[in-house]
Amino acid sequence: MIAISIEALTKRFGSQAALDDISLRIEPGELFFLLGPSGCGKTTLLRAIAGFVAPDTGRVLFDREDVTNLPPHKRRTGMMFQSYALWPHLSVARNVAFGLEEQGVPAPERERRVREALASVRMETYAERRIGQLSGGQQQRVALARALVVRPRALLLDEPLSNLDAKLRLEMRSEIRRVCKEFGLTAVYVTHDQKEALSVADRLAVMAEGRIAQIGRPEEVYRRPHSRLVAEFIGETNILRGEVVSRVGDEILVATRAGRFSALAAGALAASPGVNVLVSIRPEGWRISDANTERTVPATLRSTVYLGEFAQHEFAAGGEMLKVLELNPHLAHRVIGRQYYLEPLDAVILNDTP
Amino acid sequence: MSRATAIAVFGFSALFFFFFFLWPIGETVRGAFATPGQGFTLAYIFEVFRNPVYVEGLVNALILAIVSTALTLLIALPLALISDRSRFPGRTLLSALVLVPMILPPFVGAIGVRQILGQQGALNALLEALGLVDVAAPIDWLGQGRFWGVVIMNALHLYPVLFLNITASLSNVDPAMEEAAENLGCTGLRKFRRITLPLIMPGVFAGGAIVFIWAFTELGVPLMFEYTRVTPVQIFYGIRDISGNPFPYALVVVMLVSTVLLYAASRYVLGNSAHGMMPKATSQGGPRPLGTLAAWGCTAFFGGVTALALLPHLGVILAAFSSNWYGTILPSSWTLEHFEGALGHSLTLLSIQNSLKYASLATILDVVLGIGIAYVVTRTTLPGRGFLDAMAMLPLAVPGLVLAFGYLAMTQPGKTFEFLNPVVDPLAIIVIAYAVRRLPYVVRSVAAGLQQTSVTLEEAAQNLGASPLRALRRVTLPLILANILAGGLLAFSFAMLEVSDSLILAQRMKDYPITKAIFELYQLLGEGPYLACALGVWAMLFLAATVFAANLLLGKKLGGMFRL
């Protein structure tokens, strides 16, 4: 179990900065996610940790060992590739045994460990199969076994589930988490799927344009996004312009076109009265009521889409259109064109200036 | 294209193949197994393996093929690895030039090799000038019976085939496959041997099979080197008494069976390796920059091989301009006489006319058939279209010598196709022979175009009132014009310099195409060889121009023409 430290890492491809002065620390045994849209630099960062990308400046440390100039084959990481990269000319067992053969592990021990690794991903009966005979999910398990069997210092996963169908993806998510925790591995996991990151990660970093936009536990990043970019990349949200009216501690009263309500300052923005700000409120962060209180804003229901476990509403409030999600929607359904009162429960003031 | 038209095209193509592909082969096979009384016998085949002359020919052909393939692999494998993996000065230019040795006729190049590597050739003259070789005892570079001359010419001519197949395989290898090995501690030569090489084996096998079959059945090059103790040449000389002698038939059948077995074996190995389902590459491999020294080393190697491959043809060009080139490094005096002579000689002028006529007609036939077959194969759901496709590709696997012999056999007096007998008038049978051999290139080129052109474009035209045939003519054909032209150009230029069919089927001097004229001129004493070279230079210029045009039209896809 090692900690992975990234120190001021920069990598340019031509004039494009794929990594722009990135620093972060991944704790021992942590399942850490790199999340972001394609081209944000997350794969480049992972490949820099694996050693396939040589950074222009900055360092990569495994615990206290500087591995920046260590070639990939000496880093002792286990990597899972997006395409799995299983060798079609070798059987399942030979694929898994490959890394042990390279380490010079004697045959009896090798065979035992290959068997164990295949068993740990529930593929022990497929040892003699050819790669071409396996389904996508099975290939994924073999790739995981191949990466784990060498007892790597860290497991690196490059969008490992992107080639699977939705149902298998759900199953493999928890499988990967189970295996990582069972082996006590430090793992870095790259994905562009926010659901995957939220459901599996211990902590995650949202990346954009070669920089880290925010690091935190899934619920922190989701409920307290620091920026519009993070708020909009992870989940859906309503962004409202407003002006700070007053501030008491963390709680700030904001005036928006939709009305006045209180919000939390998530970032380090100096939100003093009179400052223009952006407020993010998630669609599920509203409560719909029939009564007007000082915490609510009046809003007219414009459209509604019923989806079973919840309903998606659109409200017009003072010139703003608000997306509102209602869980367990009322049996007597809401009436289009009627006025309701919306109470914002989870309003966050973003760091961005409007 | 309506279903009825498609069926008609299918039927016509199938009949064409039956009569002009299967029939000649069948006729040859019959000649090898039928007694004069039409009974069945294995005696001729056994006799082939008992007669020491034939056995020697077969053994020599086999050794020639093995050594040629090995040498070709030795050149092509490092070349392909360098070109795929590294960035070095001149990479683009050299990669573009890689096909040039392929298209220059080896049969003509052989003259150049003899000029340069012969005992009184340029290399020995150079070594003598440097004082490294004794004038009285020049080194015999080409070896006893000029075996090495044939091998060198084969290798220099055929390495692009293997190169293209290997680079295609390399570019299909997901870079993550190699990164996964590195991640697990395996690098350098070990990685190449354990991962890369097994992954590109299909390409090596596919290319190797083409090269092997080609070298095994090559007629022109051994003939030019007067290396006569090899089966193709024995068959060629056996044709003179084709009507009464069953042994040429038996020899052809032995060659055919060997190549078919080899072809089947290579397919079997390819099929078993089951690498077809490789996942799509996700990371960019691309060429890596090298250190200055290594990069220039790559350039030198790649450029050196290309220069070496062009040397024979340089020899031909020099010879064409020289009035005397014997025992000197460069020709001792220069002249333009041979070019005038070549154009003035009755044989050469007539042969150029003949070649143009044969090649044009064959190309027209190829383009018409090729469009029809490619369309049926890619755009219809007719049962048996896969069979048609396989059929259209088969001429690649059957040696030209075998087919040429078959055509001659099936047009002998008393046979069904007697009316096509080349001694009476070779036009029809030569055009057919040229067309069948080049058809795969046209089919492949047109099919590639059709696959890249959406069916919906044609459907849109039909939706607006165009009949299926009109939609094909007005929408699809203009869109794939580049592919049709490129395929046609290739068919044309290869037909212009076709060797086996030309040597075997053109029997009267007034019917000789260019290649047979070169062969006959070369046999003449005096200025004959120089005239042959001059004619060869004309032919090379012509071929280079057409292939350059095809390259412009097809771009990188040109390489795909030489893959199995």
Side-chain angles (χ1 to χ4, degrees), chain B residues 467-556:
Chain B
S467 71
L469 266 185
R470 265 185 79 77
L472 176 66
R473 190 168 64 75
R474 291 195 57 194
V475 176
T476 307
L477 289 190
L479 285 171
I480 59 167
L481 193 62
N483 296 74
I484 297 174
L485 279 179
L489 273 176
L490 275 182
F492 183 73
S493 49
F494 283 124
M496 284 293 283
L497 289 156
E498 150 54 69
V499 176
S500 311
D501 292 326
S502 309
L503 291 188
I504 290 174
L505 294 175
Q507 306 211 345
R508 296 175 310 177
M509 196 178 280
K510 72 183 178 71
D511 300 323
Y512 283 177
I514 289 177
T515 36
K516 184 134 189 181
I518 292 176
F519 176 66
E520 293 292 336
L521 278 173
Y522 192 65
Q523 314 280 313
L524 294 178
L525 291 174
E527 61 168 10
Y530 296 115
L531 284 181
C533 283
L535 188 55
V537 171
W538 283 119
M540 286 193 285
L541 278 179
F542 182 79
L543 197 62
T546 47
V547 171
F548 181 69
N551 205 3
L552 282 186
L553 287 168
L554 269 187
K556 274 200 131 178

Side-chain angles (χ1 to χ4, degrees), chain A residues 47 52 72-73 77-79 81-83 85-89 94 98-99 101-102 130 132 146 150, chain B residues 174 176-177 179-187 190 194-195 198-199 275 277-280 282-283:
Chain A
R47 291 170 62 79
F52 293 117
H73 62 279
T77 61
M79 182 144 172
F81 294 82
Q82 185 174 7
S83 58
L86 295 172
W87 303 299
H89 61 293
R94 293 291 312 281
F98 187 94
E101 287 164 13
E102 288 304 316
R130 289 202 153 267
R146 185 179 69 180
V150 293
Chain B
D174 183 351
M177 294 272 180
E179 287 175 358
E182 278 181 50
N183 179 250
L184 293 171
C186 183
T187 53
R190 241 180 106 67
R194 295 199 65 188
I195 303 297
L199 289 176
H275 296 180
M277 277 201 26
M278 275 203 251
K280 216 173 155 268
T282 47
S283 54

Side-chain angles (χ1 to χ4, degrees), chain B residues 140-152:
Chain B
D140 182 9
W141 296 101
L142 296 177
Q144 201 66 45
R146 303 193 174 84
F147 174 83
W148 286 105
V150 182
V151 168
I152 290 170

Side-chain angles (χ1 to χ4, degrees), chain B residues 237-266:
Chain B
Y237 285 123
I239 283 167
R240 287 175 187 156
D241 50 2
I242 186 172
S243 46
N245 184 356
F247 292 112
Y249 290 90
L251 281 175
V252 171
V253 166
V254 170
M255 291 229 108
L256 178 67
V257 170
S258 321
T259 55
V260 167
L261 282 182
L262 190 81
Y263 184 77
S266 76

Side-chain angles (χ1 to χ4, degrees), chain A residues 58-312:
Chain A
R59 299 200 301 166
V60 179
L61 299 165
F62 288 178
D63 285 333
R64 282 193 203 133
E65 181 194 352
D66 185 346
V67 297
T68 316
N69 295 317
L70 206 62
H73 62 279
K74 294 195 174 142
R75 293 201 182 189
R76 296 201 290 120
T77 61
M79 182 144 172
M80 261 186 83
F81 294 82
Q82 185 174 7
S83 58
Y84 313 137
L86 295 172
W87 303 299
H89 61 293
L90 303 178
S91 68
V92 166
R94 293 291 312 281
N95 260 279
V96 177
F98 187 94
L100 298 174
E101 287 164 13
E102 288 304 316
Q103 289 177 0
V105 174
E109 187 194 342
R110 196 167 69 212
E111 274 163 38
R112 181 180 54 76
R113 279 170 66 178
V114 167
R115 258 199 320 277
E116 283 171 10
L118 284 174
S120 74
V121 293
R122 305 183 183 119
M123 286 292 292
E124 58 272 43
T125 53
Y126 294 86
E128 294 316 313
R129 294 282 183 99
R130 289 202 153 267
I131 299 304
Q133 298 170 310
L134 302 183
S135 70
Q138 291 169 335
Q139 293 194 17
Q140 214 257 354
R141 287 163 192 271
V142 176
L144 186 58
R146 185 179 69 180
L148 289 174
V149 74
V150 293
R151 294 178 189 149
R153 295 197 278 181
L155 183 63
L156 308 175
L157 307 109
D158 183 7
E159 308 225 14
L161 305 183
S162 65
N163 288 333
L164 299 183
D165 61 51
K167 191 168 164 283
L168 258 176
R169 240 189 335 249
L170 279 179
E171 196 184 310
M172 285 311 294
R173 263 187 214 171
S174 38
E175 180 82 1
I176 287 177
R177 184 169 172 91
R178 175 185 70 79
V179 170
C180 284
K181 292 299 157 192
E182 203 173 290
F183 285 72
L185 277 167
T186 309
V188 188
Y189 189 128
V190 163
T191 184
H192 63 267
D193 183 339
Q194 35 130 344
K195 291 252 166 65
E196 211 166 288
L198 292 175
S199 58
V200 184
D202 291 328
R203 277 197 312 150
L204 59 88
V206 180
M207 291 184 66
E209 291 171 354
R211 290 162 185 267
I212 291 175
Q214 192 170 346
I215 298 186
R217 286 180 290 113
E219 61 274 22
E220 276 172 6
V221 176
Y222 185 82
R223 296 197 61 177
R224 300 279 179 267
H226 289 179
S227 60
R228 177 171 195 156
L229 188 141
V230 174
E232 286 182 336
F233 184 73
I234 299 193
E236 268 195 274
T237 193
N238 296 290
I239 304 276
L240 304 177
R241 288 160 161 272
E243 192 188 320
V244 175
V245 179
S246 64
R247 173 166 194 165
V248 182
D250 272 350
E251 204 156 295
I252 297 164
L253 190 65
V254 209
T256 68
R257 287 202 293 171
R260 290 177 172 223
F261 46 81
S262 64
L264 283 171
L269 188 80
S272 42
V275 172
N276 285 323
V277 290
L278 287 181
V279 185
S280 160
I281 308 168
R282 301 272 182 205
E284 71 277 13
W286 300 93
R287 185 156 61 210
I288 307 171
S289 83
D290 293 321
N292 193 4
T293 70
E294 59 180 21
R295 292 175 164 278
T296 62
V297 297
T300 312
L301 183 61
R302 280 293 156 81
S303 70
T304 202
V305 178
Y306 180 72
L307 288 166
E309 70 270 39
F310 52 82
Q312 281 175 345

